[in-house]
Amino acid sequence: MQLRILGIETSCDETAITILEANGDVGGATYRVLGNALLSQAHLHAEYGGVYPTLAKREHLRNLPILLDQTLAEAGVARGTGVDLIAVTRGPGLEPALWTGIEFAKKLGAEWQVPVVGIDHMEGHLVSALLEKLTADSFHLKACGLPLLALLISGGHTELVLMPRWHEYEYVGATRDDAVGEAFDKVARLLDLPYPGGPHLAALADKARKSEISSTASEIKFPRPMVHDNTCDFSFSGLKTAVLYKLRSMPRLTDNERAAIAAAFEDAATETIVIKSRRALRETHPATFVVGGGVSANTEIRRGLEVMLREEFPTVAVHYPDRALTGDNAIMIAAAAHLRAAAGLSDTDLTAQGARRLQQPPATH
Ligand code: KG4
Ligand code: ZN
């Protein structure tokens, strides 16, 4: 099924628009990015230490028309022509931010006489792990066996979801408090690193591991929360508090100690994710394991998961997103919309759902 899809993503602090030319279906899809524009507001939220919803909304409102013009120009597409479908993130995310994307999509759909569908942000992250880059502007969908187990780790979510059949989801585990990306960001803030702190913290931890600081790091050890309970659920708020107490006990922190704490935190987060993923893999016996979401960019977490999978689950195929697609983007939203359309599913409910969980499709056409 060939479709030209305009994808819109505004769930958090990235405004993104893409025009994707899609062919095929879940058995073998190919994608060409005709135009793509993305603007991060992270620097504006930095002073709040997190995303400030009203500011995010204002920035999305201002940037959407500008990014649309850029995307259309790059794609060589005139307004109102050459687009078959508009796909917009409906949730989960910050509701004021989601609404700006949805309202923008609805207006365009009415003006261009093109159908508009709502897409789940986490389904986008799942699909992104299966998009393999072919050239600078093209991807194909990797063949994957089902059931597929997805570890979705981002600033707002930490969950293990089983997909027994395409577009059908069963929850295996989720965080009971903070998301892992949120824990990275909060600990980074405690260490005076810029927002969003995840990548900065990872870089500092890497520095510690690559130098003799690592011997100091081995003396600092943080708890692996909830690893002894018999669920696949996570909890990261205690880990963040453990770092806070450690820092309070070390009032005059040297640079090396700071780096050692970053490494010890990252080790604890990684091992927790590995332990819970191992439990989920044992319980669900998937053919494929994918990791998606902003935190899937983390090298230590990838390394930890890879060792565990190679040693204990050698027959499970593992996929991570291309580095360009780990964070929020509109390509994954358009690709997810294509796979739904190709499967005969279309969800036209355009209500922002901040806390939405991946669901069975409500409508089949
Ligand atoms: O998926 P995403 O872009 O936005 C949400 O849907 O939340 O994820 C953003 C999160 C932030 O918490 C950011 O700090 C984290 O992903 N992140 C990382 C890394 N790169 C981004 N966390 C750890 N290590 C990284 N390399
Ligand atoms: Zn995301």
Side-chain angles (χ1 to χ4, degrees):
M1 178 185 242
Q2 189 184 54
L3 278 179
R4 270 197 187 180
I5 304 171
L6 182 92
I8 301 173
E9 158 63 42
T10 64
S11 68
C12 192
D13 59 352
E14 258 95 31
T15 320
I17 300 192
T18 202
I19 297 180
L20 199 66
E21 188 171 271
N23 278 284
D25 58 22
V26 292
T30 54
Y31 299 101
R32 210 151 67 80
V33 183
L34 303 182
N36 188 47
L38 185 146
L39 205 67
S40 173
Q41 312 165 2
H43 60 288
L44 297 174
H45 297 283
E47 66 177 287
Y48 304 99
V51 182
Y52 191 60
T54 324
L55 178 61
K57 178 182 164 172
R58 193 190 73 195
E59 289 299 306
H60 288 312
L61 277 173
R62 184 167 61 198
N63 293 326
L64 279 166
I66 301 168
L67 296 193
L68 176 66
D69 286 346
Q70 279 177 17
T71 311
L72 291 171
E74 189 189 342
V77 168
R79 275 186 90 89
T81 65
V83 168
D84 306 305
L85 182 69
I86 297 174
V88 61
T89 303
R90 169 182 42 200
L94 299 169
E95 288 207 0
L98 290 164
W99 276 119
T100 60
I102 292 172
E103 291 302 335
F104 188 77
K106 274 163 75 174
K107 240 178 83 200
L108 273 190
E111 190 186 316
W112 296 1
Q113 303 279 294
V114 172
V116 184
V117 291
I119 292 296
D120 188 291
H121 184 77
M122 301 317 283
E123 184 169 288
H125 277 307
L126 186 158
V127 167
S128 76
L130 294 171
L131 296 178
E132 183 167 38
K133 206 166 191 160
L134 297 177
T135 65
D137 63 357
S138 67
F139 296 88
H140 81 140
L141 189 80
K142 291 180 207 168
C144 68
L146 300 181
L148 174 151
L149 179 68
L151 168 69
L152 303 175
I153 42 179
S154 69
H157 291 80
T158 301
E159 47 204 33
L160 282 155
V161 184
L162 188 71
M163 185 174 83
R165 280 166 296 281
W166 267 97
H167 303 115
E168 289 182 19
Y169 302 106
E170 289 167 17
Y171 271 75
V172 180
T175 185
R176 296 195 183 166
D177 42 58
D178 292 354
V180 63
E182 194 179 349
F184 266 87
D185 294 342
K186 285 179 176 170
V187 170
R189 198 171 184 210
L190 294 175
L191 295 172
D192 290 328
L193 294 166
Y195 174 85
H200 296 283
L201 190 147
L204 188 61
D206 192 47
K207 218 168 101 190
R209 281 191 202 96
K210 285 193 176 131
S211 68
E212 69 276 19
I213 307 169
S214 54
S215 58
T216 325
S218 61
E219 288 157 26
I220 302 174
K221 196 165 164 154
F222 293 119
R224 276 66 173 147
M226 276 183 66
V227 292
H228 298 299
D229 86 329
N230 59 0
T231 72
C232 295
D233 286 347
F234 302 85
S235 163
F236 286 103
S237 75
L239 176 56
K240 170 205 65 195
T241 311
V243 176
L244 176 69
Y245 287 152
K246 184 82 200 165
L247 286 169
R248 281 195 186 149
S249 74
M250 301 168 81
R252 273 179 300 280
L253 206 62
T254 65
D255 282 351
N256 283 358
E257 285 166 342
R258 228 169 118 249
I261 287 174
F265 164 78
E266 192 176 43
D267 287 347
T270 300
E271 203 181 324
T272 305
I273 285 173
V274 169
I275 290 169
K276 291 297 183 171
S277 299
R278 175 189 290 121
R279 179 181 282 278
L281 284 155
R282 281 189 185 145
E283 283 181 8
T284 61
H285 309 288
T288 307
F289 181 64
V290 303
V291 189
V295 186
S296 72
N298 186 280
T299 308
E300 271 309 295
I301 294 175
R302 285 193 185 199
R303 202 189 335 263
L305 288 169
E306 254 152 38
V307 170
M308 181 266 289
L309 281 144
R310 197 170 48 237
E311 289 174 358
E312 300 171 45
F313 303 91
T315 59
V316 176
V318 192
H319 303 296
Y320 302 90
D322 186 274
R323 297 272 174 186
L325 298 180
T326 54
D328 291 346
N329 64 84
I331 294 172
M332 68 183 191
I333 300 303
H338 166 248
L339 294 178
R340 280 196 170 257
L345 305 170
S346 129
D347 192 343
T348 48
D349 175 3
L350 293 172
T351 315
Q353 293 166 20
R356 180 183 167 86
R357 272 197 157 195
L358 275 170
Q359 288 163 357
Q360 312 286 350
T364 307
H365 296 288

